[in-house]
Amino acid sequence: MVERLTRASSQEIANVVTLFLGLAIGSTMVGAEFLKLSTLAILLLGIVAFALDAVAGVLFGKLLNAASGGRFNPLIGAAGISAFPMAARVVHRVAQEEDFENFVLMHAMGANAAGQVASVVAGGVLLALMGAG
């Protein structure tokens, strides 16, 4: 039973929730307001930030690997982005492709959760600095 619930929550239920969320937000959005240059700039900045975050995480992971004498897997740094839980799953899968005995999922989830917390804190600081809070 647990296996069926786990599979359903990670696939079907997540897809349905995403669909309803998209419909709820999309139904309130006016097309002329969405199709602006500023909206595309925000999307582009998000993609650049996502890529730079992954690269910086891997580079910091390499630094920790060198400092620990090779006991730290640099891939864990790539899980620090706040795309929960997909980033941790991707890191785990890539690590297992290299060596099947690598099991870094729990470590990657820890870095992933820390990335989420850091994103929320950074957003709060940004809102406070802008005077919107």
Side-chain angles (χ1 to χ4, degrees), residues 6 14 18 38 44 56 62 64 68 80 92 115 129 133:
T6 302
T18 303
S38 61
L44 182 66
K62 285 187 173 280
L64 288 177
S68 70
H92 176 67
L129 290 175

Side-chain angles (χ1 to χ4, degrees), residues 51-77:
L52 288 177
D53 192 18
V55 168
V58 170
L59 290 176
F60 189 69
K62 285 187 173 280
L63 177 72
L64 288 177
N65 186 29
S68 70
R71 295 186 342 218
F72 187 86
N73 191 334
L75 277 174
I76 300 296

Side-chain angles (χ1 to χ4, degrees), residues 104-131:
V104 298
L105 184 61
M106 291 300 130
H107 305 293
M109 283 295 212
N112 205 203
Q116 278 193 310
V117 171
S119 294
V120 170
V121 169
V125 168
L126 185 64
L127 287 174
L129 290 175
M130 293 177 63

Side-chain angles (χ1 to χ4, degrees), residues 25-26 29-43:
I25 292 172
M29 188 175 293
V30 179
E33 290 296 317
F34 182 73
L35 295 175
K36 289 184 174 180
L37 190 58
S38 61
T39 305
L40 294 176
I42 290 170
L43 291 174

